[in-house]
Amino acid sequence: MSDPIFIGARIYRGSSYGAHHPLSIPRVPTVMDLCRSLDWLQPEQYRTSPCAKPAALIGFHTETYIDALQRAEATQLPDPDHDLGSLSNPVFPEVYRRPATAAGGGLLAADHVRAGGVAYNPGGGTHHGLPDRANGFCYINEPVLTIQRLIAMGLTRIAYVDIDAHHCDGVAVAFQGSDMVQMISVHEDRRWPFTGALDDTAGGAAINIPVPRGFNDTDFDLILNELILPAVARQKPDAIYLQCGADAVTEDPLSRLTLSNRCHVQAVQALRTLAPRLIVSGGGGYNPWSVGRAWSCVWATLAGHEIPDHLPPPASDILRNLRWTRKAKPTEALMTTLLDPPRNGPVSDQVQHVVTTLKTRSHIRAG
């Protein structure tokens, strides 16, 4: 397997959904800065994401919607028919170019792994985007377009694993009933978008794993080893797409889950051996310290770097200089370390019920 690549772009630096939006924070630039500070990101590993052309986006999105998204960027005017200009999906200066760049990164990742390999696109993972409108901070559904590109290459078995705190509703719309794509989503139960119920199989294409508030590292370990890894191994996928949203960690304001970022590292390590091609993306994550730390740990794991117990001062200064409109003060650990301490606990009754139910369900495919 070839060396992993890291896909980024300048457009993420300084681009914001607005001062009071959860995505007012820097995310990809923090990861790039941390990894470069630690000498983890060499020039030959870095790729600049292209901005996907409109024609490349119409494989899932409608032409009318992509036209509307471009028009919204040009005019900076809302378009309620496509949910552009709402509180969740504001019109901002790069409202077309930024998500199109994330999608371009996904297509580049797919091209990179054509013959096998690993690609990391932390700006991607926008799994809520719908064919004809923005949805849940997502304007273009990068995971769907990336998986469609993999299928167009001739791959016939794709495992999509999503550990974001929110269900991948847009991806589920795209691959409902698919016999090529297996979707596995771990997400907080009874949280927006209120899809992905335990009994929702997306026409046999999905394993939905709704988990309760307080979901901890011990719960995650059980689900990873008893559900996710066996299901992926049975599928024998040509490629795995791992959506590595960072909003399931304790510090995130948009979930009530209590994972450490060790779970992200564990998922990357475990899944990497199960297919010749691996694409890893970002996703949710709304605390600037926890998301930057988690996604830097993901890259360290992919690129084979040891995560230090304590950051050297130049890396720590990157975290100390972050600002957040919520005015929450980070702990010293959030500014001086990358890897969280384990957040173990008892396995909840709901998690045990989910595991028992899904292990006996016939739709979990055998390959």
Side-chain angles (χ1 to χ4, degrees):
M1 189 175 285
S2 62
D3 289 340
I5 62 167
F6 184 116
I7 301 170
R10 289 184 179 180
I11 198 167
Y12 300 118
R13 196 175 296 276
S15 173
S16 168
Y17 281 35
H20 302 292
H21 193 279
L23 283 177
S24 64
I25 62 173
R27 305 192 311 161
V28 178
T30 302
V31 180
M32 292 170 58
D33 292 346
L34 282 169
C35 291
R36 284 178 171 148
S37 173
L38 293 163
D39 201 30
W40 288 351
L41 184 55
Q42 304 306 316
E44 63 271 18
Q45 296 174 303
Y46 182 78
R47 301 289 187 279
T48 297
S49 174
C51 182
K53 295 180 179 179
L57 307 175
I58 296 172
F60 174 61
H61 297 286
T62 66
E63 185 173 359
T64 300
Y65 171 61
I66 296 302
D67 287 346
L69 189 58
Q70 291 179 286
R71 188 167 55 249
E73 178 169 300
T75 64
Q76 291 295 289
L77 295 175
D79 182 345
D81 290 343
H82 298 96
D83 203 18
L84 298 171
S86 63
L87 288 174
S88 292
N89 311 307
V91 173
F92 60 96
E94 307 85 13
V95 71
Y96 169 77
R97 286 172 293 150
R98 175 169 162 172
T101 298
L107 299 177
L108 177 62
D111 290 340
H112 176 76
V113 304
R114 180 183 296 269
V118 176
Y120 184 37
N121 181 30
T126 47
H127 59 176
H128 297 307
L130 296 173
D132 59 353
R133 61 186 173 91
N135 184 45
F137 313 165
C138 299
Y139 300 84
I140 294 172
N141 198 310
E142 176 274 323
V144 168
L145 294 168
T146 300
I147 292 169
Q148 287 179 334
R149 174 65 64 88
L150 294 172
I151 292 171
M153 292 176 181
L155 306 187
T156 59
R157 296 189 304 274
I158 314 295
Y160 173 80
V161 180
D162 191 315
I163 60 173
D164 193 286
H166 302 85
H167 178 247
C168 52
D169 53 340
V171 181
V173 167
F175 299 115
Q176 170 84 18
S178 174
D179 59 1
M180 293 185 179
V181 180
Q182 175 177 224
M183 299 172 284
I184 305 174
S185 176
V186 183
H187 49 270
E188 186 174 347
D189 194 16
R190 300 181 183 179
R191 180 164 293 278
W192 189 94
F194 306 108
T195 52
L198 180 61
D199 60 359
D200 176 7
T201 69
I207 301 172
N208 280 308
I209 308 172
V211 298
R213 290 186 174 198
F215 181 65
N216 61 45
D217 287 17
T218 309
D219 291 320
F220 183 88
D221 182 77
L222 179 67
I223 282 173
L224 181 68
N225 287 290
E226 294 292 323
L227 296 177
I228 298 174
L229 297 181
V232 173
R234 280 192 292 268
Q235 188 190 11
K236 298 181 176 64
D238 301 314
I240 296 171
Y241 183 120
L242 172 60
Q243 201 271 19
C244 233
D247 49 0
V249 300
T250 300
E251 296 84 4
D252 198 273
L254 295 192
S255 84
R256 294 296 179 266
L257 307 182
T258 58
L259 297 184
S260 76
N261 59 28
R262 290 174 180 264
C263 296
H264 298 73
V265 170
Q266 184 183 9
V268 170
Q269 290 173 328
L271 289 168
R272 186 171 185 173
T273 64
L274 297 183
R277 303 166 185 86
L278 174 64
I279 295 172
V280 181
S281 76
Y286 309 100
N287 176 310
W289 294 280
S290 60
V291 69
R293 293 167 70 253
W295 290 354
S296 296
C297 288
V298 168
W299 174 248
T301 305
L302 291 171
H305 296 292
E306 184 176 352
I307 301 169
D309 291 335
H310 296 282
L311 289 173
S316 180
D317 287 346
I318 292 167
L319 294 170
R320 291 186 187 280
N321 288 331
L322 293 175
R323 297 294 180 266
W324 196 14
T325 56
R326 295 176 70 97
K327 301 186 186 303
K329 293 184 178 180
T331 64
E332 188 69 10
L334 287 179
M335 298 185 293
T336 58
T337 68
L338 289 184
L339 195 61
D340 294 328
R343 293 167 180 166
N344 296 319
V347 173
S348 71
D349 291 343
Q350 181 174 339
V351 167
Q352 190 61 65
H353 170 70
V354 166
V355 170
T356 300
T357 300
L358 290 176
K359 285 181 71 173
T360 60
R361 183 167 291 167
S362 61
H363 87 272
I364 297 181
R365 62 188 68 179

